[in-house]
Amino acid sequence: MMTPFLSAEDLAIGHGRKPLVRGIDLQVRRGEVLCLLGPNGGGKTTLLRTLLGLIAPLGGTVRIDGTALEQMSRRQIALRLAYVPQATSSGFAYLARDIVAMGRAA
């Protein structure tokens, strides 16, 4: 069986020490498309930010290609994952293609 590209095992997410969701198990293989749906305040963005290593998990493990996120440098993570937030403020009027191109630089 092929190692999933991105996986979470018994993941607990939240802010500070307060868990929002516990017991998340997730496997995403290369080429798969994943849709994350839920109510406002349900933890969707917190989950994504935790999977990216931007927020530390409150429990459990996130892995990229079988390697635990905490064993990887920010550069190693950035070479494998990208994140474009829904809303951002910038002092410049960038075109969408420029933002995508900037995301290619780890």
Side-chain angles (χ1 to χ4, degrees), residues 47-92:
L47 173 59
L48 290 174
R49 291 177 55 87
T50 304
L51 292 172
L52 290 163
L54 301 174
I55 298 175
L58 300 180
T61 305
V62 176
R63 297 181 189 280
I64 299 175
D65 285 328
T67 303
L69 219 56
E70 64 267 9
Q71 296 174 340
M72 301 174 76
S73 69
R74 288 302 316 154
R75 178 171 169 72
Q76 290 172 315
I77 295 168
L79 287 170
R80 290 166 180 82
L81 298 176
Y83 170 64
V84 179
Q86 180 177 353
T88 181
S89 61
S90 171
F92 303 98

Side-chain angles (χ1 to χ4, degrees), residues 17-73:
R17 293 182 178 204
K18 182 181 178 193
L20 184 58
V21 182
R22 294 185 185 132
I24 300 169
D25 290 318
L26 171 75
Q27 291 189 351
V28 181
R29 302 203 187 300
R30 292 188 188 281
E32 286 185 330
V33 175
L34 176 70
C35 179
L36 185 58
L37 299 172
N40 291 344
K44 300 177 300 290
T45 300
T46 302
L47 173 59
L48 290 174
R49 291 177 55 87
T50 304
L51 292 172
L52 290 163
L54 301 174
I55 298 175
L58 300 180
T61 305
V62 176
R63 297 181 189 280
I64 299 175
D65 285 328
T67 303
L69 219 56
E70 64 267 9
Q71 296 174 340
M72 301 174 76
S73 69

